Amino acid sequence: PDYTQEALIDPESPQSRAMDWMRKDPQVSEWPAFKVGQRFALATFYFALNGDDWFDQDDSPWLSYELDECDWYTDSTFYPCTDGRFDDLELNNMGLRSELPLEIGLLTDLGFFGLTSNSITGAVPTTIGNLVGLFEISLDYNFLTDELPTELGLLVNLVILDFDYNDITGTIPTQLGNLQELQHLLLRENALTGVLPESLGNLTKMQFLYLGINDQLGGEIPSSFVQHQDINDLQLNNMDLTGNISAQQWQAWSGIDSLNLGANRLSGKITTDIGLLRDMTFIDLYQNEFTGLIPTQMGELENLVTLYLESNIFEGNIPTELAQITGLELLHVHDNNLEGTVPEEICERVRNHDLELKVDCSVLHCPLDCECLCADEDDEPTAPSPTAPYPTTPSSPTVGPPVFSPSFPSADSPVDGDDPDDDDDDDD
C-alpha cells in the first residue's frame, strides 16, 4: 500500500527494518504470497512496538527464521493460526511501547486482537477498518490518544470493543451504531467529549456498556437506549449527564444486574417503575439532583445488595419497605433532605449486622441502639469511588465483563469467561 511505500523511504523506519529482515530470510522464496505479506506485517508490528524489549517470549521468539510466524510467542490460549493464517494476536502486559503501525490493517484474517496493559501511544490506526473479521479488540490500559476512527464502524462482526483506561479524545463516533453484533462497549476513563450518540441505541445486543469516568461526556441519556433490552451492566458514572430518566427507560432496564449513574447531574423523580428491576444487585445514584420521595417500590428489588442514594435532593422518610430486601448489605442515604426516624424494621437489620446504614444523624433521628453511621459526624465526607464492585477471577487484574473465548464461535454464541484486564477493585 501507499503508506508502506512512503515509510520505506526512511531506512530506519519499522517498515524498512521489516523489509531488511524479510530479505535475509533464507526461506522467503518458499513462502506463499499471503505468508510473505503476513510475515512483513508482523515484523513491522514488532519493530514499531520495540519488540526487542518485550517480556516473556520464552523459547518462541519473534522474528526467528527457524520458526513459522504462527509459532512465535503470543498470549493466546489457542494456536493463533488457522490454515497458516494469523487470526489471534494477543500480547497482553508484554512491554509493548510506541504507536501501532498502519500495517496492522494487512492482517485481514484477525479475529482477536488484544494488547491489554502495555504502553501503546498515539491514535488507533484508521486501517483497523480493514479487519472486518474481528470478533474482539481489546486495547485497554494503554496510552492511546486522539479520536476514535470512524472506520471502527466497518467491523460489523465485532462483539467486544474495549478501549478502557486510555487518553482517547473527541466524540464517540456515530458509526459505532453500525455494529449490530456488539455486546460489550468499554470506553471508561478516557477524555471523551460531546454527547452520547443516539445511534448507540441500535446496539440491541448490548450487555455491558461502560462509558463512565469521562467527565466531559454528557447530555441526556438517549431515548434510543430503551432498545437495550438485554443490558446487564451499565456504567455511566462520573460523566456530565443531565435530564430525567423516563419510565420507559426504567422499564427497559428491567433485566439489568448493575447500574452506576453516580456523579452526574441527573434530575427529576425516580418513577415507581424502578421496582421492575428485580435482578438488580447494585445501584449507584450518588451525587445527582434527584428529587421527591424514595420510591417504596425499591423494596421489591429482592436481589439488591448495594444502594447508594446519597448527595441528592430526596425528601420524606426512609421507606420501611427497604427492610424487605433481605440481601441488602449497604444503604447510604445521607446528604439529602430526608426527615423523620429510621424505621425500626431497618434498625433491626443494622443491629443484626446485616446492613450498613449511613444517614445524617443531625436531621434524621436514629435510635441509640440502631448503630447508624453518621455522615455529618465524619471528619471528611465520603463518597463512592468511580467504579462499582464487580466479581473477578484470579486471572484478571481489574474489573470488567467476560471476554470472548478465542475459539471463533458464531456471532450469536454466548460469551464466557472474564475480562483479562480486570481485577477486584471493590469500588462503589
Side-chain angles (χ1 to χ4, degrees):
D2 291 343
Y3 55 81
T4 300
Q5 295 294 335
E6 293 176 10
L8 290 173
I9 297 173
D10 178 3
E12 299 301 319
S13 69
Q15 293 81 358
S16 292
R17 296 173 69 188
M19 188 63 73
D20 289 343
W21 176 82
M22 293 283 293
R23 292 193 183 103
K24 295 174 184 176
D25 186 347
Q27 303 177 70
V28 67
S29 61
E30 302 175 13
W31 298 119
F34 83 87
K35 295 280 278 186
V36 172
Q38 181 169 273
R39 288 170 72 84
F40 172 74
L42 290 169
T44 299
F45 176 84
Y46 178 89
F47 287 117
L49 294 168
N50 295 280
D52 290 343
D53 298 329
W54 294 355
F55 313 140
D56 302 325
Q57 295 190 54
D58 297 336
D59 298 323
S60 306
W62 278 53
L63 305 192
S64 169
Y65 290 131
E66 286 75 32
L67 295 175
D68 187 281
E69 70 273 18
C70 294
D71 295 319
W72 295 347
Y73 178 83
T74 72
D75 270 350
S76 175
T77 305
F78 300 89
Y79 194 62
C81 294
T82 301
D83 297 329
R85 298 177 184 272
F86 227 90
D87 53 29
D88 188 354
L89 179 55
E90 297 182 61
L91 295 168
N92 303 309
N93 197 25
M94 283 279 292
L96 281 66
R97 55 186 174 85
S98 197
E99 300 184 13
L100 291 169
L102 291 169
E103 283 73 15
I104 197 69
L106 300 178
L107 299 173
T108 54
D109 293 295
L110 278 185
F112 299 90
F113 185 35
L115 306 176
T116 293
S117 298
N118 285 289
S119 297
I120 301 170
T121 58
V124 178
T126 56
T127 54
I128 204 78
N130 296 341
L131 309 182
V132 295
L134 274 182
F135 285 106
E136 176 185 341
I137 178 170
S138 295
L139 301 179
D140 47 317
Y141 290 93
N142 280 285
F143 299 95
L144 295 169
T145 56
D146 299 337
E147 298 187 6
L148 292 173
T150 59
E151 287 82 0
L152 286 169
L154 300 173
L155 307 180
V156 294
N157 293 302
L158 205 60
V159 175
I160 295 175
L161 190 159
D162 187 354
F163 292 153
D164 270 355
Y165 303 102
N166 280 283
D167 298 307
I168 296 168
T169 60
T171 60
I172 297 176
T174 60
Q175 290 82 358
L176 294 188
N178 298 332
L179 308 181
Q180 298 292 306
E181 302 301 323
L182 199 64
Q183 297 177 19
H184 301 168
L185 176 58
L186 315 177
L187 299 174
R188 284 176 297 185
E189 199 158 335
N190 279 282
L192 296 169
T193 57
V195 299
L196 300 180
E198 284 281 348
S199 63
L200 294 185
N202 299 335
L203 308 177
T204 56
K205 295 184 179 180
M206 185 62 63
Q207 296 179 11
F208 296 87
L209 180 58
Y210 293 1
L211 304 178
I213 322 179
N214 285 283
D215 59 12
Q216 296 185 58
L217 179 62
E220 297 189 2
I221 296 175
S223 59
S224 61
F225 275 31
V226 298
Q227 299 177 82
H228 292 161
Q229 301 288 329
D230 294 330
I231 194 78
N232 180 266
D233 193 340
L234 180 63
Q235 292 193 31
L236 302 179
N237 57 295
N238 295 76
M239 296 170 61
D240 191 30
L241 296 175
T242 59
N244 301 344
I245 300 178
S246 68
Q248 292 80 8
Q249 187 62 75
W250 288 116
Q251 293 164 16
W253 288 338
S254 60
I256 199 169
D257 175 78
S258 180
L259 176 66
N260 192 343
L261 300 176
N264 281 287
R265 292 189 293 136
L266 295 165
S267 59
K269 296 181 178 181
I270 305 296
T271 72
T272 58
D273 303 274
I274 195 171
L276 299 173
L277 280 60
R278 304 294 178 82
D279 295 329
M280 184 78 75
T281 61
F282 178 95
I283 300 178
D284 186 353
L285 303 181
Y286 155 78
Q287 195 175 311
N288 279 281
E289 299 169 13
F290 291 117
T291 58
L293 304 177
I294 298 174
T296 59
Q297 287 78 8
M298 279 190 170
E300 300 172 14
L301 306 182
E302 56 192 12
N303 291 301
L304 194 61
V305 175
T306 302
L307 178 58
Y308 290 107
L309 298 177
E310 69 266 39
S311 302
N312 281 282
I313 319 174
F314 290 118
E315 59 188 32
N317 301 321
I318 299 177
T320 303
E321 288 79 1
L322 294 180
Q324 300 171 9
I325 311 174
T326 56
L328 189 63
E329 298 177 359
L330 190 149
L331 173 60
H332 286 188
V333 295
H334 54 284
D335 194 18
N336 280 287
N337 294 331
L338 298 174
E339 58 187 7
T341 300
V342 176
E344 171 57 27
E345 293 86 347
I346 291 179
C347 279
E348 182 67 23
R349 298 283 313 284
V350 176
R351 282 193 290 268
N352 292 336
H353 303 289
D354 295 328
L355 176 66
E356 175 188 302
L357 174 65
K358 194 166 191 176
V359 301
D360 291 316
C361 296
S362 62
V363 293
L364 188 70
H365 177 61
C366 183
L368 290 177
D369 63 346
C370 195
E371 301 180 16
C372 302
L373 297 178
C374 296
D376 42 0
E377 295 178 5
D378 289 345
D379 292 333
E380 296 181 3
T382 58
S385 48
T387 53
Y390 293 94
T392 58
T393 59
S395 63
S396 52
T398 102
V399 291
V403 298
F404 221 41
S405 169
S407 55
F408 285 87
S410 69
D412 292 326
S413 298
V415 179
D416 300 315
D418 277 282
D419 192 336
D421 55 300
D422 286 291
D423 133 31
D424 192 23
D425 254 349
D426 281 332
D427 295 323
D428 300 340

